[in-house]
Amino acid sequence: MQIGCHGLVWAGSFEREALASALSRTHAAGFDAFELPLMNPAAFDLDGALEVIEAAPVKVVAASLGQSRDSDPSLGDPESFQAGLAKIGRALEIVQALGAPYLVGVLYGELRKYTEPITDAQRADVVDFVRRIADDAGERGIELGLEVVNRYESNHLNTGRQALDFIDRVDRPNVKVHLDTYHMNIEESDMAQPVLDCGDRLGYVHVGESHRGYLGSGTVDYMNFFHALDRINYDGPITFETFSTAIIHEDLSRMLAVWRNLWEDSEDLALRANQFIRAHYRAAQTTRMH
Ligand code: MN
């Protein structure tokens, strides 16, 4: 079990010094692992990162990204389909070079509010797209986590059940479901069943509060969520994710609709999130022992 912290808790971009600082603060807050946001793989400072991670006190467990408008493979546009492949291709080179086992996020579309439902033809394009990036990832020993997000951020995978059906069609062993409690709290009927449905096809987990503030200060039902993780013997990463305009770039704030801040002190937030996740997971485990 690796408990991780998302990079945007600490910084808005990850050049050499910023990454070194984020990794050491992740460790100081008690986490085992770090998730690297790779919004723009083409501009990422890989040489700087390679210098830093060797001496870093925590491992980079994953990189994460979403597609942008010009790299969205779900639009029926060959140019954006190819741009999406190129973006993931570069991301996979980086993930492999950093020795991280996962690439996760909304790899299959743009993170935005769509104004139309996805069509069957568009779905078929995305199946083809994910097969191609899965084969590239597989040759590099990397697993893909397809993140299930709410209706305002995708018109495709909004529930764990939809993601499982999609992954069945893709039919590649290194493509897994990535669940996020923030999104589950909006779209799922409860917080346990999607986890139980996924079983060993759950590859990656984000823990975020209902308003993306301090864990435990919102409406997410963590008890049933962690019981379900325990019941499927989940042993993949669990990463704390949140966003604040105090940290992230204005463009990303707008995309994610961060209109108000629930926190400002990264250290305090992260320390308590790490304790919260470990306490809840431990509590769920004890009920099975007795
Ligand atoms: Mn997430």
Side-chain angles (χ1 to χ4, degrees), residues 147 149 178 180 183 206 212 241 243:
E147 185 166 10
V149 296
H178 167 185
D180 178 321
H183 298 289
H206 275 165
R212 294 211 188 267
E241 180 180 53
F243 308 103

Side-chain angles (χ1 to χ4, degrees), residues 24-36:
S24 88
R25 293 163 87 191
T26 293
H27 177 69
F31 292 98
D32 312 309
F34 180 79
E35 179 181 324
L36 174 70

Side-chain angles (χ1 to χ4, degrees), residues 180-182 206-210 212-213 215 220 222 239-241:
D180 178 321
T181 57
Y182 165 81
H206 275 165
V207 173
E209 191 47 89
S210 54
R212 294 211 188 267
L215 295 185
V220 170
Y222 295 102
T239 299
F240 171 55
E241 180 180 53

